[in-house]
Amino acid sequence: MGSAMSIADNLAETKARIGAAARAAGRPAGSVRLIAVSKTHDADAISQAIAAGQTVFGENRVQEAQGKFPALKAAHPQIELHLIGQLQSNKARDAVALADAIHGLDRPSLAKALAAEIARQGRAPRLFIQVNTGEEPQKGGVMPGAAGDFLAECRGLGLAVSGLMCIPPEAEEPALHFALLAALAQRLGLAELSMGMSGDYEVAVKLGATYVRVGSAIFGART
Ligand SMILES: *Cc1c(COP(=O)(O)O)cnc(C)c1O
């Protein structure tokens, strides 16, 4: 990921590492999807990734994604946009219109707003419940002990939930959090696990991630 490496090089290396980590864990090739997190990077950088074959992208702000992705999607209908950041309920309309997946479902007010928009627009992004595995007060996500009840509440609103997502605390061993999320998803019968970033995606793959969210290792450091 040095400056001499291109986005295409970085993508190839990231995919090779994901493949190796999956093989080492005895997981089938193709069981892990790479979300290239393009927040703060411009449409030109994203176009380079698309030219290198990348199809799945992640952004954490609705407004920033709205400025880049409608044109990119019109030119490249195969691409997918995942919203991975905290989502305000008043952005539910734009999020449902724009995203193919939303990873920050973490409270009843947002679930209600998304359910209303999904019904209104007839468009249903895949949904991930964010779990605050480190129980950090400043971070989004439901507490692990409340995830089962929240899942039931989402289903009661007619929402189809695909899986769970977490962002481990910065100063802690991520493997503990990935293992907790995987155990919780298994207990709840959810198939998808969104976990792992540039610094720890191989650990996440070893522990069962089906989506890894990798930004700086592909696009370089954010300024
Ligand atoms: C920015 C971001 C990422 C990617 O982080 P990197 O360390 O650059 O790979 C992953 N997940 C979320 C929720 C993010 O906001």
Side-chain angles (χ1 to χ4, degrees):
M1 89 182 182
S3 55
M5 298 274 284
S6 68
I7 288 170
D9 291 337
N10 292 340
L11 267 171
E13 179 174 341
T14 305
K15 282 189 213 158
R17 287 189 179 198
I18 290 169
R23 270 192 305 283
R27 301 184 53 193
S31 60
V32 185
R33 275 147 296 174
L34 170 61
I35 303 172
V37 178
S38 51
K39 66 189 185 202
T40 78
H41 296 282
D42 62 16
D44 179 60
I46 299 167
S47 297
Q48 288 179 48
I50 296 170
Q54 180 64 23
T55 54
V56 185
F57 293 89
E59 290 278 339
N60 68 345
R61 289 160 161 274
V62 173
Q63 209 172 345
E64 182 182 345
Q66 274 178 319
K68 297 188 277 189
F69 277 86
L72 287 165
K73 280 189 156 198
H76 308 280
Q78 78 278 16
I79 68 174
E80 257 183 41
L81 174 65
H82 291 229
L83 288 173
I84 61 176
Q86 265 192 299
L87 188 61
Q88 291 171 284
S89 299
N90 65 9
K91 295 275 166 61
R93 178 164 298 188
D94 292 337
V96 167
L98 188 65
D100 301 288
I102 293 171
H103 293 233
L105 175 55
D106 67 353
R107 57 195 192 281
S109 57
L110 179 59
K112 287 185 191 116
L114 290 172
E117 280 306 320
I118 287 167
R120 200 182 67 86
Q121 299 183 33
R123 190 171 192 282
R126 273 163 281 152
L127 300 174
F128 294 75
I129 291 177
Q130 183 174 350
V131 180
N132 189 345
T133 57
E135 309 204 9
E136 297 173 280
Q138 82 286 7
K139 203 170 259 179
V142 296
M143 294 299 155
D149 284 347
F150 183 57
L151 174 63
E153 191 170 354
C154 290
R155 287 182 171 153
L157 291 165
L159 294 175
V161 175
S162 299
L164 301 181
M165 177 271 207
C166 76
I167 308 171
E170 281 187 24
E172 287 183 30
E173 176 53 60
L176 301 173
H177 296 271
F178 298 155
L180 190 160
L181 197 73
L184 193 52
Q186 187 167 36
R187 188 158 64 71
L188 298 175
L190 293 171
E192 306 290 350
L193 281 172
S194 166
M195 59 188 197
M197 307 176 20
S198 289
D200 54 24
Y201 65 86
E202 287 157 293
V203 180
V205 169
K206 186 176 159 209
L207 290 167
T210 62
Y211 285 93
V212 292
R213 311 179 306 267
V214 179
S216 48
I218 294 169
F219 292 105
R222 290 180 291 273
T223 45

